[in-house]
């Protein structure tokens, strides 16, 4: 990929909007040699266009695809007088001047939400109902369409274990807020907002929240405390499902090993960019019989009862770059130099 940014990056939508605006101003909507759309609306890189004929639509598509090779468009034609656009379905009705707009539901939609019995705050469940209600209310072009959309939403919640009374109360709260005019704001002293995240532990969390808000209001009236609940511990937090990487396969590490008989008083600090197994048992490795410069072998030759066990290696630090590993090793040798190390550093340091 040589054009644009990586998929999923936050800069992508911004640049797409800027680029589309540039194409519209310089090419798409100013070229009169091709049929122009009667109606043109765009959101990011999705456009909604009306043309007199289908031939005009394809002519315009061919033109905009010829402007820039890296910016290519697809076309979707209405089917049965309906055309989905973003989260909406725009429908033409014979005899009506304006189209009918309803909420779009994907054919693959399974209607799955989190179950009502899920261990989450009740506010999250109410917010889910309120969000879908608000969305349907803002999209629907009339109350008949809104009623059909809400019946479908209520049925989805019922299949996910939501109580009908709970759903209806949440829907009523949203509709009352939308239909009731907001009173004019009154001048008050602004309070400093403090956000306090807490793990959700069930009913006790609501008690703790009320007590905290009461205490803050009593002793710090200029502070507006907002307590939000985050997910607490789950079963997967208590167990590790990732396999532990074998010690002998680790590479790019600073390590420490001590004598089994003498203990930490006879220890060695080193680093390796290769695997630990290669560093200890490869040619010229610490425990390879033919290694002539091994401080570990010299210690065992001097003390026949001493030995070093590979599984007792302690990893002090990790890094993929050899230069950084040398700096790390030098720092450990400076402050934790062991008796088996003959060198003062791996790379000279000026540490004050």
């Amino acid at each position: 990929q040589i054009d644009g940014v990586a998929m999923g990056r936050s800069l992508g939508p911004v640049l797409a909007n800027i680029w589309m605006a540039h194409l519209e101003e310089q090419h798409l909507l100013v070229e009169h040699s091709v049929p122009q759309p009667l109606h043109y609306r765009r959101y990011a890189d999705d456009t909604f266009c009306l043309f007199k004929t289908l031939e005009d639509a394809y002519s315009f598509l061919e033109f905009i695809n010829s402007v820039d090779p890296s910016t290519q468009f697809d076309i979707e034609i209405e089917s049965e007088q309906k055309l989905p656009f973003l989260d909406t379905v725009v429908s033409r009705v014979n005899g009506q001047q304006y189209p009918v707009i309803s909420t779009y539901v994907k054919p693959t939609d399974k209607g799955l939400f989190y179950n009502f019995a899920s261990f989450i705050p009740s506010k999250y469940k109410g917010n889910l109902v309120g969000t879908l209600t608000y969305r349907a209310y803002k999209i629907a072009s009339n109350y008949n369409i809104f009623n059909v959309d809400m019946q479908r939403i209520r049925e989805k919640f019922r299949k996910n274990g939501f109580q009908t009374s709970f759903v209806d109360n949440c829907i009523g709260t949203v509709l009352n807020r939308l239909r009731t005019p907001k009173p004019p704001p009154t001048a008050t002293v602004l309070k400093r907002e403090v956000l306090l995240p807490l793990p959700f532990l069930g009913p006790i969390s609501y008690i703790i929240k009320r007590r905290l808000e009461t205490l803050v209001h009593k002793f710090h009236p200029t502070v507006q405390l907002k307590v939000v609940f985050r997910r607490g511990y789950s079963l997967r937090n208590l167990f590790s499902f990732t396999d532990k990487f074998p010690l002998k396969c680790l590479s790019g590490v600073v390590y420490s090993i001590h004598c089994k008989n003498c203990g930490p008083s006879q220890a060695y600090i080193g680093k390796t960019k290769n695997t630990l197994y290669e560093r200890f048992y490869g040619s010229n490795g610490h425990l390879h019989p033919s290694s002539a410069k091994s401080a570990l072998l010299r210690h065992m030759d001097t003390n026949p009862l001493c030995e070093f066990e590979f599984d007792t290696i302690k990893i002090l630090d990790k890094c993929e770059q050899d230069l950084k590993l040398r700096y790390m090793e030098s720092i450990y040798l400076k402050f934790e130099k062991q008796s088996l190390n003959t060198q003062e550093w791996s790379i000279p340091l000026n540490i004050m």
Side-chain angles (χ1 to χ4, degrees):
Q1 179 180 344
I2 59 175
D3 290 328
V5 296
M7 184 176 294
R9 298 298 297 270
S10 58
L11 193 59
V14 178
L15 293 179
N17 190 50
I18 295 174
W19 178 243
M20 285 299 302
H22 168 75
L23 291 180
E24 291 169 352
E25 295 176 357
Q26 301 296 325
H27 302 282
L28 305 187
L29 302 182
V30 296
E31 181 60 50
H32 299 290
S33 62
V34 295
Q36 289 291 317
L38 304 176
H39 180 82
Y40 181 92
R41 289 293 182 271
R42 177 179 62 83
Y43 181 83
D45 57 351
D46 293 317
T47 60
F48 184 87
C49 303
L50 297 179
F51 294 90
K52 289 183 178 181
T53 63
L54 191 59
E55 290 76 12
D56 292 348
Y58 280 107
S59 297
F60 187 75
L61 175 66
E62 182 180 359
F63 163 69
I64 61 177
N65 283 338
S66 65
V67 173
D68 182 64
S70 63
T71 306
Q72 298 294 299
F73 294 84
D74 293 326
I75 188 171
E76 184 176 359
I77 306 299
E78 68 174 63
S79 176
E80 298 179 355
Q81 296 186 332
K82 295 181 180 180
L83 180 64
F85 180 67
L86 301 178
D87 288 347
T88 69
V89 177
V90 183
S91 306
R92 290 193 299 118
V93 180
N94 295 331
Q96 292 190 13
Q97 181 181 3
Y98 299 102
V100 174
I101 303 176
S102 58
T103 304
Y104 176 67
V105 180
K106 292 183 178 180
T108 57
D109 179 58
K110 303 298 183 182
L112 295 178
F113 306 124
Y114 42 69
N115 194 274
F116 189 74
S118 299
F119 191 70
I120 56 175
S122 299
K123 187 174 183 179
Y124 290 5
K125 305 171 186 176
N127 288 344
L128 175 61
V129 180
T131 298
L132 295 180
T133 302
Y134 182 83
R135 173 172 172 260
Y137 182 87
K138 287 297 185 179
I139 290 177
S141 57
N142 57 59
Y143 282 103
N144 291 331
I145 297 296
F146 175 67
N147 180 62
V148 172
D149 289 342
M150 289 309 303
Q151 292 301 324
R152 183 179 64 252
I153 291 174
R154 292 176 76 253
E155 179 62 18
K156 288 182 179 180
F157 281 120
R158 185 190 67 79
K159 292 181 178 180
N160 284 275
F162 279 66
Q163 300 175 1
T164 304
S165 58
F166 178 84
V167 175
D168 291 341
N169 288 336
C170 295
I171 294 174
T173 301
V174 174
L175 295 180
N176 289 335
R177 189 183 304 120
L178 291 170
R179 294 170 179 173
T180 304
K182 295 183 179 179
T186 56
T188 58
V189 178
L190 295 178
K191 294 185 177 182
R192 182 169 64 92
E193 293 187 357
V194 176
L195 186 66
L196 178 62
L198 295 176
F200 182 70
L201 304 175
I204 188 65
S205 296
Y206 299 114
I207 299 176
I208 295 175
K209 177 184 177 181
R210 287 195 298 269
R211 291 180 177 178
L212 287 174
E213 291 175 343
T214 301
L215 289 173
V216 172
H217 179 73
K218 180 178 180 180
F219 295 101
H220 298 278
T222 60
V223 173
Q224 179 68 37
L225 179 65
K226 291 187 176 181
V227 178
V228 295
F229 296 119
R230 60 186 180 187
R231 184 175 58 184
Y233 284 103
S234 59
L235 288 178
R236 68 177 181 179
N237 296 127
L238 304 178
F239 302 95
S240 176
F241 293 96
T242 57
D243 295 332
K244 187 177 181 180
F245 207 64
L247 182 65
K248 62 181 180 181
C249 296
L250 292 178
S251 60
V253 296
V254 179
Y255 59 88
S256 172
I257 187 172
H258 60 78
C259 176
K260 182 180 178 181
N261 184 43
C262 302
S265 62
Q266 297 293 322
Y268 180 87
I269 290 179
K271 64 91 180 174
T272 177
K273 197 172 185 301
N274 298 323
T275 63
L276 281 173
Y277 187 86
E278 179 69 20
R279 183 68 183 91
F280 275 77
Y281 297 106
S283 58
N284 297 324
H286 288 309
L287 300 180
H288 194 276
S290 63
S291 179
K293 299 180 180 180
S294 173
L296 277 61
L297 290 180
R298 286 198 301 269
H299 177 75
M300 289 190 293
D301 292 341
T302 306
N303 305 277
L305 297 178
C306 294
E307 62 177 328
F308 293 87
E309 292 186 350
F310 183 83
D311 293 335
T312 62
I313 296 175
K314 180 181 178 182
I315 304 301
L316 302 178
D317 226 319
K318 298 180 180 180
C319 184
E320 296 181 356
Q321 299 181 13
D322 186 62
L323 180 61
K324 290 184 178 180
L325 281 175
R326 295 173 63 189
Y327 278 115
M328 291 178 181
E329 183 188 24
S330 299
I331 293 174
Y332 281 107
L333 289 174
K334 176 70 176 179
F335 295 102
E336 301 180 22
K337 185 177 185 303
Q338 305 299 326
S339 58
L340 296 181
N341 286 97
T342 58
Q343 60 183 14
E344 294 291 337
W345 54 67
S346 177
I347 191 171
L349 298 176
N350 296 319
I351 300 178
M352 304 301 293

